[in-house]
Amino acid sequence: MLWLEGGPGVPGTISAPLYAGDLKFHRQRRAVILFDQRGTGASGALHCPMIETRSPLADVWPPADVSKCRRELEARADLTRYSTEASAHDLEAIRSALGYDRIDLAGLSYGTYLAQAYVKLYPTRVRSVVLIGTVPLGEKLPLHHAWNGQLALRQLLVDCRADGPCHVAFPHLEADWAALRQRLARGAITIATEKGPLVVRQGPFGEMVRSALNSVDGKRGLPLLISHAAARDYAPLAQAVRSQGADPGADGLYLSVTCPEGTRRIQSNEIEPATRGSDFGRYRIDQQIVACRLWPRATPDPRLLTRVRANIPVLLLSGGRDATTPSAWARRVAATLGNSRVVIIPAMTHLPAGLDNMECLDRMMDAFFATASARELDTSCVATMSPPPFATSPDAAGVHIQTGEGMSS
């Protein structure tokens, strides 16, 4: 079984401790192969340190930093040679070198995209596939980030209203969110902190919130952050910025893959309809379009921009609270896979972590791979996968910010 990480930009070997520990049962019936996709980890990582270490309140893609990163990386790499097609051929080289006739694939986020590409190019080499947080081939990322995030935000407001402690703590959460957005629309907010001022602007703040929606911990901490900020108490926001997670991805690879395969394919007349009515607007799209103008141009393989059609057994695991790859995307991909099944985990976000009994997800994967059939798969354990309580006081767990750029953020 080859495990394909997300991003693009996250190295596959980052999961080695999991498969050596809690997930070692995957190795009872098969070899688990982890690889660093070209441009990640130990495989010539295309890091952009200034971008990857940015504050979540800074612009996503500062043009000067993008240009600097391009110059530095081009001194040692041809940035047009890091496509999904190239990585799919790398997978085939690994399979051939190890001598396996057929392989199982499991992918998360961008890993689902790479898995579909491999199925298209090498269909006879695939026994079965698990897709978690599915991205359809040809999706023009990040065109639909704003509305996918909007739907997840709406669900968060509903979940808080239905949760007794959350509703008691934040009885006017929707009004608080509206008031905070209106305040930011009038201009930036400057927060005084012990380490200097924090400047909060509408675009970056919205992207920070959208990123937080990608994790269970982030979603459960957002009502507190929003409500306190609406009341001009910015301490939870400042704490969230200080405690941002480290970015494990290589943003140079992210741009090399997504610019030609997604962002540059966005037509100007598509942006307004795709963002109309969304609280997140077109900020992320505009940021990425500018970054891609500064990145080397490459031509994507047209075969990998259309749906994959196959009868290979495929299990699609989808989070019902996913702010980046919604369940509708999983169902769209499954529609052209004749031997597939979509299983929705209602409380799961884009990142498959943070719920009670997360082992359920991997046990379903293991059972599916054992038979290469999802038809009789027992999914009853999904009912036990519940989220932690909402954070209702400042001393509780704060917002987790996923800073890594990509399909997983």
Side-chain angles (χ1 to χ4, degrees):
M1 185 266 277
L2 270 85
W3 170 249
L4 309 179
E5 266 293 350
V10 180
T13 53
I14 199 173
S15 296
L18 280 174
Y19 285 104
D22 291 346
L23 303 185
K24 63 184 178 182
F25 58 82
H26 279 293
R27 296 158 45 217
Q28 292 175 354
R29 285 191 282 257
R30 66 190 47 77
V32 174
I33 301 166
L34 310 177
F35 87 112
D36 290 344
Q37 178 185 1
R38 61 168 67 189
T40 75
S43 186
L46 302 179
H47 281 297
C48 296
M50 291 295 292
I51 299 171
E52 294 161 17
T53 59
R54 68 177 178 83
S55 163
L57 293 177
D59 282 328
V60 179
W61 301 107
D65 293 340
V66 172
S67 296
K68 182 175 185 290
C69 186
R70 172 181 174 168
R71 290 192 301 271
E72 292 176 349
L73 292 177
E74 282 188 319
R76 61 177 177 85
D78 179 351
L79 298 178
T80 68
R81 301 292 296 275
Y82 290 83
S83 64
T84 297
E85 176 194 8
S87 292
H89 293 320
D90 290 344
L91 286 180
E92 174 59 9
I94 291 171
R95 182 209 60 79
S96 177
L98 294 177
Y100 296 115
D101 181 57
R102 292 192 303 162
I103 55 177
D104 295 324
L105 295 173
L108 167 66
S109 191
Y110 172 73
T112 71
Y113 200 89
L114 179 54
Q116 293 170 75
Y118 184 82
V119 169
K120 265 207 165 186
L121 297 176
Y122 301 100
T124 64
R125 296 304 186 182
V126 182
R127 173 178 174 267
S128 61
V129 184
V130 171
L131 306 177
I132 308 171
T134 304
V135 184
L137 286 180
E139 176 61 29
K140 298 179 181 180
L141 295 164
L143 182 60
H144 297 109
H145 274 18
W147 257 105
N148 290 342
Q150 185 70 36
L151 295 175
L153 177 63
R154 287 180 179 175
Q155 188 61 59
L156 172 65
L157 298 175
V158 170
D159 289 345
C160 182
R161 194 184 314 126
D163 181 88
C166 189
H167 184 58
V168 169
F170 316 114
H172 310 295
L173 186 58
E174 292 184 42
D176 291 342
W177 171 247
L180 184 56
R181 287 184 59 246
Q182 290 169 6
R183 190 181 309 157
L184 285 168
R186 293 193 293 268
I189 299 170
T190 300
I191 306 170
T193 73
E194 293 178 357
K195 295 186 177 181
L198 285 178
V199 179
V200 186
R201 294 176 291 130
Q202 184 177 31
F205 176 75
E207 184 64 9
M208 175 180 167
V209 169
R210 196 192 63 79
S211 295
L213 289 167
N214 278 316
S215 71
V216 170
D217 289 345
K219 292 194 78 165
R220 306 305 271 189
L222 271 175
L224 184 146
L225 185 153
I226 291 168
S227 181
H228 279 250
R232 290 181 164 77
D233 173 10
Y234 301 110
L237 172 58
Q239 174 60 29
V241 172
R242 286 196 298 269
S243 61
Q244 65 171 322
D247 181 359
D251 278 21
L253 177 65
Y254 175 82
L255 291 173
S256 289
V257 172
T258 61
C259 286
E261 298 178 20
T263 309
R264 287 200 189 103
R265 296 173 51 241
I266 297 174
Q267 303 298 311
S268 59
N269 61 2
E270 293 178 302
I271 299 175
E272 197 280 329
T275 58
R276 185 187 303 132
S278 166
D279 294 346
F280 300 109
R282 55 183 292 159
Y283 169 79
R284 172 60 185 267
I285 300 173
D286 289 341
Q287 284 276 305
Q288 206 150 317
I289 286 175
V290 171
C292 287
R293 286 174 184 158
L294 299 171
W295 209 250
R297 300 189 71 84
T299 302
D301 185 336
R303 295 174 296 174
L304 306 184
L305 300 178
T306 58
R307 294 186 185 188
V308 58
R309 299 179 184 274
N311 287 313
I312 296 166
V314 181
L315 174 64
L316 300 95
L317 300 172
S318 176
R321 301 296 189 271
D322 193 327
T324 298
T325 58
S327 298
W329 283 11
R331 289 191 287 267
R332 187 197 310 172
V333 170
T336 56
L337 298 172
N339 188 10
S340 66
R341 179 178 177 183
V342 177
V343 175
I344 297 176
I345 302 170
M348 192 169 79
T349 58
H350 187 60
L351 299 179
L355 302 178
D356 290 341
N357 194 21
M358 280 304 307
E359 188 180 79
C360 168
L361 182 146
D362 283 277
R363 290 294 182 184
M364 286 191 291
M365 288 175 54
D366 188 55
F368 167 74
F369 283 137
T371 62
S373 173
R375 291 195 179 110
E376 305 301 324
L377 186 67
D378 181 3
T379 64
S380 59
C381 65
V382 169
T384 69
M385 300 178 71
S386 56
F390 281 99
T392 56
S393 63
D395 58 344
V399 176
H400 169 77
I401 303 300
Q402 179 69 21
T403 57
E405 293 311 320
M407 298 177 183
S408 61
S409 64

